[in-house]
Amino acid sequence: LLKSIFERSRANNLEHGITGVLCVYHGGNVFLQALEGSRVAVNALYCDIVRDPRHRDVTLLDYAEITERRFASWRMGSVNLNRVNLGTILRFSESPVLDPFSMSGPASLALEAKSGATTARCGKESSLDTWTSLIVGRRSRKAARARR
């Protein structure tokens, strides 16, 4: 399922000028995602994510205008947070179990940037345009059904 989501995201994001990273944490079936692009493109994609029946608890953690992209070289990068050093998670989180819903938006973004930097080098793209950055936390509906 994740593989197909990444393939589709990379193709669609290229077409719409969106960059970002999706962090997966299997401990709570939590996803933490940063999206960058024009305000219109990022808002449209966020609406698609909210309406997607595979997700629940979709929460906007941060929304900001930015002057340069952190994930410019990633059409949709992926990071498995289960493979990230626990110290990295504790640096930005209150506990060793990742809960993006209890983190501030800037802390969530910093964790994604740090985790992504340890996985692959993130390029930056300077621009005179203003880009929008959006951080989203969400859980899988499949995981919710499995716990019942």
Side-chain angles (χ1 to χ4, degrees):
L1 178 66
L2 280 177
K3 184 179 178 186
S4 68
I5 289 172
F6 282 117
E7 289 171 358
R8 184 173 170 211
S9 295
R10 288 177 180 134
N12 289 338
N13 291 353
L14 177 62
E15 181 181 334
H16 296 101
I18 292 176
T19 56
V21 62
L22 176 64
C23 296
V24 179
Y25 183 68
H26 299 290
N29 287 302
V30 173
F31 299 87
L32 184 61
Q33 185 170 25
L35 302 171
E36 301 168 325
S38 72
R39 185 180 299 123
V40 170
V42 169
N43 284 336
L45 180 54
Y46 177 71
C47 288
D48 289 345
I49 291 168
V50 169
R51 286 189 301 261
D52 189 324
R54 295 172 293 184
H55 308 298
R56 67 177 183 89
D57 300 334
V58 178
T59 304
L60 181 64
L61 302 175
D62 193 49
Y63 187 86
E65 298 290 325
I66 57 174
T67 56
E68 66 180 2
R69 298 177 188 234
R70 287 186 176 213
F71 307 104
S73 62
W74 289 10
R75 294 297 166 227
M76 185 46 60
S78 64
V79 173
N80 181 344
L81 288 175
N82 295 87
R83 294 184 178 170
V84 171
N85 183 303
L86 182 60
T88 300
I89 292 175
L90 283 171
R91 182 174 174 191
F92 301 102
S93 179
E94 295 177 0
S95 73
V97 176
L98 180 68
D99 180 10
F101 306 101
S102 68
M103 299 170 66
S104 70
S108 299
L109 181 59
L111 173 61
E112 286 185 302
K114 180 69 173 172
S115 300
T118 61
T119 305
R121 188 163 183 237
C122 295
K124 287 191 177 180
E125 177 180 283
S126 295
S127 173
L128 296 176
D129 295 328
T130 300
W131 303 99
T132 301
S133 173
L134 175 126
I135 312 298
V136 179
R138 62 185 187 260
R139 289 188 174 92
S140 157
R141 282 206 185 274
K142 182 179 177 183
R145 285 192 300 269
R147 284 194 295 254
R148 289 182 191 161

